[in-house]
Structures are given as C-alpha cells and as structure tokens.
Amino acid sequence: MADNADKVTWLASVWTEEKGRRIASTTSDGQTSTITYLTESQYGDYKPITSPDGSKIAFFRVTNEADKETGDVTVWRSKICVMNMDGTGYKELTGDAQFNGNLHWTRDGTNRITWFRITNDTGEANTFSNVKIWRTTPDSTPGEEEMLSDPNAPEYFREFSHSNLKDGRIFLIRGSRRHLLMTPDPVGSPTYEPISYPDEPIHLHKICISHDETKISYMKQTMENLKKGDEYMGAIICYADFDASAPAITNEVEITEQDFGRIIWYTSYSPDDKRIIFADNGKIMLHDVDAGTNSQLSTDDSVEYRYPNYLGSVK
C-alpha cells in the first residue's frame, strides 16, 4: 500500500487450524494486522454484512457436514443469524432445513435482510429443485421470514439475489446468466427489469453495488470458465458504471488477470466508494480506483480469508 494509506477494517469469514471458520474483524495498513474474532461455534460462519446503522452484523451459519468445504452449497444446511458489532447478542433468524445464504441488508430504510434459499429435499448433490429470494428483520424469529420470489413460479425456478438499491429493488440473477432488477411485492407478484450488459450471456457473480449506486463490482465468468465448467477458478474481478434507471452496466474495467490456478472473488466497496477489497486465494487485496493499483491488505498467511466486507458497507 502507499505510505499515506489509511488503515482499513473489514469483516470476513476466516479459517485457521486452531479456530475453524469464524467471523472476524481485521484492521490492517498492509504491514501489520489486528484480528478480532467475533463468533465461536462448532459450525462454520460465513459472509458477514454490517447493517446500515452500523449496529449489527448479519451472517449465515452452516450446521451440517457439508460445512467441511465440499464446495457444493446445494447440500449445505444453514441459518441466517445476527449479532451486535462486538459479537454479543447472537440471534438466529431462520431455521436450517435448507441452504440460506448470500445475504444483504436493504438500503431503503426498512433495515431488513434479504437472501436466497436453496430447496434440496433429497440431500444429494446438484439435485435442488428451486432457489427463491426471502427477507426478514433482525428482530424476527424463525418462521417469520417472507418470500419475495413469485409464489406461483414453476418448480426449478431459480433466483439468486445480490445487492439491494435504495428504492427497494434487488439485483438478481435468474437461472445462470440472466441479470435483472426485482421490485418486491410479497402480497402479489414481483416485477422485473432486464439489466443491459454488453457481454451477455457472460455470468456476473458476487455483485456489489457502490453506495452512491453509480458503480458496480463483480467477478466475471468468461467463456473460458464456461468451457472448463468452473464459475469460480479463473474468474476476473471487474468494476463498471451502473445506471439503475436504465438499468445498464457499461464501461467495464478489469482489475485482475485471469488465472485458473487461483480463486479471486467477492468484492466490497469502501464507504466512500474509492476502494474495492476482494479475496485472492485466501488473502485480502485492495484496489485503489483512482490509482488503478492493487495491494495486499492481509498480513498473516496462516489465516485464510473469504467473503470480505468493508466495515460500514451494507454490500
């Protein structure tokens, strides 16, 4: 990092031999790091996201043997959880009969959490029937969550939710490569707007919309990914202009090179939208948007980081 760079604090799902996979907060200047562990469990904890008011952290906890890093989330069983910023006040918001994951806080002032739920009644890999979008509040109890996807959709209907917008719309991917904005309507039928992207049908993954909602970052699955059948290894981290009124993604900038020997993924914008952090083979990297440079933030190679989220970012 540059000599005048400020320290950066991020939340992440971290793994060590001693502690397993925990939610932790890390502060680093690129030379030294301080790690504070926030959860302690026999299970694995994933994808921490801070609430808009900065008082809560939401994440999901995997409770079955699939937590042993099988790589196939369709057989995971997990629950949406919330806690205070210091790790106290742990509360479970859903049950764990299905996979509940990829959660995001809303930006419309309602202080809710959205995520997608994978239904797999067989327990066998890649046999799941549908994926639906749900939401709840940090004060709710399991069973009080509401489904946002069309309740009349046919079986094998699959919607994967990502960042929310201030007007309440949700960025989602339907099927494998169709990008849409959903306007939720839980008492009726949601409406959808297609998002224009020059390289359709390339799959954009792990979407993060900037706080001013003029930029978007993501990992891009290329045609080489499609040929190899792997949407993670070899994906390229990008950011681009985002026009929510069109809606459209334009002027894409690639900030990493394709490398099928590394998994580079999961972006998060800083609160001022001037920096992007992402994970690169277990290390946390920082991209300075103005300078166009990448630097390593994490300093302890015995810690494996996944799903970083800037402290103060609602994703």
Side-chain angles (χ1 to χ4, degrees):
M1 296 179 64
D3 292 337
N4 62 351
D6 296 330
K7 290 184 177 180
V8 175
T9 300
W10 70 91
L11 300 171
S13 175
V14 303
W15 184 89
T16 64
E17 287 282 357
E18 178 185 2
K19 298 179 181 296
R21 188 162 298 284
R22 307 265 199 94
I23 302 301
S25 172
T26 303
T27 299
S28 175
D29 60 3
Q31 303 299 319
T32 59
S33 298
T34 301
I35 303 175
T36 302
Y37 291 92
L38 301 175
T39 61
E40 183 173 354
S41 171
Q42 62 179 310
Y43 303 117
D45 295 332
Y46 294 79
K47 296 189 179 180
I49 304 291
T50 51
S51 61
D53 64 5
S55 67
K56 302 284 185 182
I57 299 172
F59 62 99
F60 72 84
R61 174 166 288 175
V62 179
T63 58
N64 65 340
E65 284 300 307
D67 180 47
K68 305 303 181 183
E69 306 297 336
T70 65
D72 180 10
V73 299
T74 67
V75 296
W76 289 18
R77 299 290 181 263
S78 61
K79 58 185 70 176
I80 302 297
C81 308
V82 70
M83 62 183 175
N84 298 325
M85 294 300 295
D86 62 359
T88 62
Y90 170 80
K91 180 179 174 61
E92 297 173 358
L93 305 182
T94 73
D96 58 356
Q98 302 96 2
F99 171 73
N100 296 287
N102 206 46
L103 59 163
H104 298 81
W105 289 90
T106 56
R107 303 187 186 191
D108 59 3
T110 60
N111 199 40
R112 291 184 285 200
I113 301 163
T114 63
W115 74 94
F116 64 74
R117 173 175 291 172
I118 297 176
T119 300
N120 183 343
D121 296 327
T122 69
E124 298 178 5
N126 295 309
T127 60
F128 60 105
S129 57
N130 61 65
V131 184
K132 302 289 181 63
I133 300 173
W134 293 73
R135 74 180 173 195
T136 195
T137 71
D139 299 319
S140 66
T141 59
E144 294 181 343
E145 60 266 32
E146 58 182 350
M147 186 171 70
L148 300 181
S149 294
D150 187 347
N152 299 313
E155 192 175 12
Y156 299 107
F157 186 78
R158 297 172 180 176
E159 290 186 334
F160 300 86
S161 55
H162 292 267
S163 276
N164 288 244
L165 294 173
K166 295 172 185 176
D167 61 14
R169 288 180 294 172
I170 301 172
F171 191 112
L172 65 87
I173 299 171
R174 181 178 294 169
S176 60
R177 287 180 289 277
R178 189 178 181 196
H179 308 97
L180 304 164
L181 284 180
M182 168 205 275
T183 299
D185 181 16
V187 297
S189 297
T191 56
Y192 301 89
E193 304 163 79
I195 300 170
S196 172
Y197 174 68
D199 293 336
E200 292 282 10
I202 295 301
H203 176 33
L204 308 184
H205 209 9
K206 309 302 182 189
I207 304 298
C208 181
I209 297 172
S210 64
H211 297 83
D212 65 7
E213 300 188 352
T214 66
K215 300 286 185 181
I216 187 170
S217 59
Y218 44 84
M219 53 184 292
K220 178 174 67 173
Q221 180 186 20
T222 67
M223 294 304 297
E224 286 76 15
N225 289 110
L226 295 177
K227 292 175 183 177
K228 290 178 178 291
D230 192 329
E231 63 182 344
Y232 291 101
M233 299 297 286
I236 300 171
I237 298 295
C238 306
Y239 73 87
D241 292 332
F242 180 67
D243 183 348
S245 64
I249 298 170
T250 57
N251 302 319
E252 180 179 85
V253 177
E254 296 182 355
I255 63 175
T256 65
E257 297 181 355
Q258 190 161 51
D259 183 344
F260 284 96
R262 311 209 313 271
I263 179 169
I264 308 175
W265 61 338
Y266 211 78
T267 64
S268 176
Y269 273 99
S270 61
D272 62 6
D273 294 329
K274 294 182 178 181
R275 299 172 178 176
I276 300 169
I277 56 174
F278 58 93
D280 182 346
N281 256 23
K283 299 176 176 61
I284 300 302
M285 305 295 293
L286 179 143
H287 178 77
D288 185 308
V289 174
D290 290 337
T293 57
N294 293 335
S295 57
Q296 184 173 329
L297 273 179
S298 58
T299 60
D300 186 347
D301 290 343
S302 69
V303 177
E304 188 233 19
Y305 286 94
R306 294 190 184 186
Y307 320 116
N309 191 61
Y310 248 104
L311 189 68
S313 171
V314 300
K315 191 63 175 172

